[in-house]
Amino acid sequence: MPAKPLIAAALPALLFALPATAAPQTPPAPAAPAVAPKDSPNFLVIVADDLGWSDLGAFGGEIATPNLDALALSGVRFTGFHTAPTCSPTRSMLMSGVDNHQAGLGTMAELLSDATRGRPGYEGYLNDRVASIAELLRAGGYTTLMSGKWHLGLTPDREPAARGFDHSFALLQGLSNHFGADQNAAWTKAELEPSYRDDGKPSALPAGKYSTDYFADRLIGYLDQAKRAGDDRPFFAYLPFTAPHWPLQAPPETIARYKGRYDAGYEALRDARLVRQKRLGLVPADAVAHSTEQVRPWASLSPDERAIEARKMEVYAAMVDRLDQNVGRVIAALKAQGRYDDTIILFLSDNGPEGNEIDRPSPRFKVADPKAPPVDPDAPTPPDPALRIDNRLANIGAATSYVGYGAGWAQANSTPSWLVKGYPTEGGIRVSAFAAGKGVAGGGRIATANLDVRDIAPTLLDYAGQTQPATYAGRPIVAHQGHSLRPVLAATAAEVRSTDEAVGYELFYRRALRRGDWKVVYLPAGTNRYTRKGVSTGRWQLFDVARDPGETRDLATAEPARLTELVAAYDRYARDKGVVPLPDAPAPAATGAATGAKP
């Protein structure tokens, strides 16, 4: 039997059917674009979906990622880069440079509740209080290109084509089958057909295409098209892959590369990765990994269970491998065009790895009986989509399978951190990230600074020679809250934040705040209609994350004054950003107890 999930999975069907929230009319078009300053660099921002902190070789992983490793080792790796705990809140901050509670994704659109629906900052799409970095760069003379996952709004005035991208091929929802249109009949019948847009027009992932391959195809196509047209404007290229987000699916030839690789189990993988991280200088030599949560020991699994679990990790590794191959293709295209040397490359994951047990896209789909005979691939397509999910061992990774890999592998992939996606602990918000390319002082350098996804938009504007305006398209916009990373990229400074600056995080009523090396975390106790089931503490905890990246030593009792100070800083953050407090939360105790931000 699978281990108890770390967090209750919201029905995956919701990720295919975001609410068509009523939205304002499309704002007036901005003024004619300016000409970008001479020698403005190009930007390539690559986002992996649910990648673990230790998955890449350059971060201690064993998966074959030579292209990403070469980039990371030519530039600077970040060991303290943070995001939101899940995807769309992170993407709202990346696009806007503003806290997700002000940019419109105070929670995921799929999980709006009575307590949050209709509240400012909880619109469920990138709102009009912000201007996207694509809008600002385009107004400053850049050509703007996107291929991949959007997850920031479904309606025409919220799609990439309406938020600053000259050309875009986008999946609007948070996930889809990774294989093409030949799978659409079953998904359509189940009312789960994904929404793709090609420059704002309805489209689809073509039959026989794998998502990661096709997203790279389209971005390369846009770059080639600009080259052929003689468009010499600098570009902002945004490449947000859907891999390695569940469902775990990959081409069989790539899966075959990892056969047997994970038979020793997730504990062995976790230990091996931590050893490599220490050898690479990514974590302190005395760093201790946090104990795993809600995971059955590998030795307690039956041989059949081990085979299935190992297969899941083989497919996951293949997804990361294939992502790396396609990054290599994009880099090769830039070099062939003579534009690589003028390009700044930023790579990051959108959050930590997914720890839920997932076996179907919705209850409408039934999972095949493991004792049933194999499916005849030449047989007519069953008319009932309930027959389409086949998670038997030999089929895991195929287009008709639908699995996640669960808490054991996820916590191995986030090692040495605590927990996974969905939590504001380091396992949920500290992600693998690096910068390379023009102006980046590299040579294998490691930067330990406390950095944040809110820093990306200010960084790009800085390098583009622009400043954020107070208004965009006739409306006021929220000022950027991140910092330009240029001093860290150029190795002229070790930090972009003072030790007094507080950075807050909240999602699903789970809370955290980082200031300097110190961090407080609060995971609500119990489960009610507002919170998600999972690991809880019911009190504030305090960690020195510079010395203890695994958040293994709670110093709340030893440092009560510091705890009180940081909890108060969190409350100020929550008030300033409009964070909705947990309804009917208990009154906070003086120190060390549960506290809620006051409205």
Side-chain angles (χ1 to χ4, degrees):
M1 296 294 292
K4 181 180 178 182
L6 281 172
I7 53 178
L11 284 179
L14 292 174
L15 290 168
F16 293 90
L18 287 125
T21 309
Q25 295 297 312
T26 304
V35 176
K38 186 178 180 182
D39 298 326
S40 295
N42 307 309
F43 303 119
L44 172 60
V45 177
I46 305 169
V47 180
D49 201 342
D50 291 0
L51 187 76
W53 192 75
S54 66
D55 282 334
L56 304 185
F59 283 80
E62 73 297 326
I63 301 171
T65 54
N67 297 293
L68 289 165
D69 294 345
L71 286 172
L73 294 173
S74 73
V76 54
R77 284 166 289 171
F78 306 132
T79 60
F81 194 96
H82 296 86
T83 64
T86 64
C87 44
S88 55
T90 289
R91 291 159 201 271
S92 73
M93 293 197 284
L94 187 158
M95 279 288 126
S96 69
V98 169
D99 189 88
N100 59 295
H101 298 88
Q102 293 173 296
L105 276 298
T107 192
M108 297 178 68
E110 301 86 356
L111 297 174
L112 287 166
S113 67
D114 292 342
T116 55
R117 192 174 290 106
R119 297 286 291 264
Y122 290 79
E123 292 86 355
Y125 53 78
L126 192 68
N127 65 25
D128 290 328
R129 297 170 69 188
V130 301
S132 79
I133 185 60
E135 289 171 321
L136 297 181
L137 288 174
R138 184 169 69 177
Y142 273 68
T143 185
T144 53
L145 313 169
M146 174 190 168
S147 182
K149 171 176 167 177
W150 180 239
H151 208 186
L152 291 174
L154 274 179
T155 56
D157 53 350
R158 302 298 164 192
E159 296 171 6
R163 295 308 303 255
F165 286 97
D166 294 319
H167 294 292
S168 56
F169 179 80
L171 170 66
L172 299 185
Q173 291 100 335
L175 63 88
S176 177
N177 193 300
H178 289 284
F179 290 95
D182 51 338
Q183 295 300 314
N184 279 356
W187 300 91
T188 300
K189 185 168 183 178
E191 300 178 354
L192 298 176
E193 184 176 7
S195 299
Y196 284 94
R197 295 292 183 270
D198 193 341
D199 284 349
K201 298 176 182 178
S203 187
L205 189 65
K209 283 290 186 177
Y210 182 61
S211 64
T212 304
D213 298 346
Y214 193 67
F215 292 148
D217 288 346
R218 294 304 302 267
L219 186 66
I220 292 169
Y222 293 144
L223 294 168
D224 286 343
Q225 179 182 340
K227 184 72 172 179
R228 289 192 302 269
D231 185 351
D232 59 358
R233 290 178 294 167
F235 64 77
F236 165 50
Y238 179 45
L239 183 57
F241 291 106
T242 50
H245 193 295
W246 50 273
L248 301 184
Q249 298 168 334
E253 66 273 18
T254 311
I255 298 172
R257 299 180 65 180
Y258 295 91
K259 184 174 177 58
R261 187 64 182 267
Y262 299 101
D263 289 353
Y266 26 74
E267 295 102 337
L269 179 64
R270 198 163 187 255
D271 292 344
R273 287 190 175 185
L274 183 57
V275 168
R276 286 192 292 269
Q277 288 170 349
K278 292 179 178 181
R279 188 183 306 137
L280 291 169
L282 296 165
V283 298
D286 60 352
V288 176
H290 200 287
S291 58
T292 56
E293 303 273 5
Q294 301 178 350
V295 175
R296 288 178 60 191
W298 189 258
S300 72
L301 303 183
S302 71
D304 287 346
E305 288 173 326
R306 291 184 205 173
I308 289 172
E309 296 306 314
R311 172 72 173 186
K312 291 176 182 178
M313 186 60 198
E314 291 168 8
V315 177
Y316 177 88
M319 296 177 78
V320 176
D321 183 321
R322 196 78 171 204
L323 186 154
D324 178 82
Q325 293 178 43
N326 280 284
V327 169
R329 292 176 56 224
V330 173
I331 297 303
L334 290 176
K335 290 180 176 178
Q337 294 176 5
R339 306 196 77 174
Y340 175 79
D341 290 339
D342 295 322
T343 302
I344 296 172
I345 301 165
L346 290 171
F347 174 89
L348 67 148
S349 177
D350 61 348
N351 44 247
E354 173 64 72
N356 278 315
E357 299 288 348
I358 295 158
D359 70 351
R360 71 195 75 193
S362 88
R364 296 187 186 99
F365 285 76
K366 305 301 181 185
V367 177
D369 182 347
K371 297 180 180 178
V375 175
D376 180 358
D378 298 321
T381 300
D384 183 355
L387 302 177
R388 293 299 298 270
I389 299 301
D390 182 359
N391 291 340
R392 287 172 291 183
L393 177 62
N395 199 59
I396 291 175
T400 50
S401 70
Y402 199 100
V403 298
Y405 64 1
W409 296 119
Q411 290 177 83
N413 294 351
S414 68
T415 191
S417 300
W418 183 25
L419 293 173
V420 292
K421 175 182 177 179
Y423 291 90
T425 56
E426 293 295 275
I429 65 172
R430 182 172 74 149
V431 300
S432 55
F434 63 79
K438 183 177 182 179
V440 178
R445 190 164 55 96
I446 295 173
T448 61
N450 178 27
L451 309 177
D452 188 85
V453 68
R454 283 162 277 205
D455 298 332
I456 290 179
T459 301
L460 302 190
L461 277 192
D462 182 5
Y463 275 102
Q466 300 180 38
T467 56
Q468 186 196 23
T471 64
Y472 177 81
R475 65 181 189 268
I477 57 176
V478 179
H480 284 164
Q481 294 157 6
H483 302 274
S484 172
L485 299 177
R486 191 169 192 163
V488 172
L489 270 55
T492 59
E495 300 277 355
V496 296
R497 288 179 169 78
S498 73
T499 56
D500 293 329
E501 181 177 344
V503 184
Y505 304 88
E506 186 275 342
L507 195 67
F508 312 138
Y509 304 104
R510 297 167 179 158
R511 311 159 202 172
L513 180 127
R514 170 86 178 258
R515 191 170 71 184
D517 292 340
W518 292 89
K519 180 181 174 185
V520 286
V521 175
Y522 173 65
L523 306 180
T527 302
N528 60 36
R529 64 195 178 108
Y530 298 107
T531 61
R532 304 178 78 193
K533 186 178 180 182
V535 177
S536 64
T537 60
R539 61 184 180 85
W540 283 100
Q541 295 176 280
L542 175 69
F543 303 100
D544 180 349
V545 290
R547 295 178 176 84
D548 179 25
E551 294 170 316
T552 64
R553 298 186 295 274
D554 178 8
L555 302 176
T557 300
E559 298 264 3
R562 191 186 302 273
L563 175 70
T564 299
E565 185 180 343
L566 292 183
V567 169
Y570 174 84
D571 284 343
R572 288 192 295 274
Y573 155 79
R575 285 194 300 270
D576 290 346
K577 307 308 180 192
V579 176
V580 172
L582 178 63
D584 305 319
T591 60
T595 182
K598 309 301 185 296

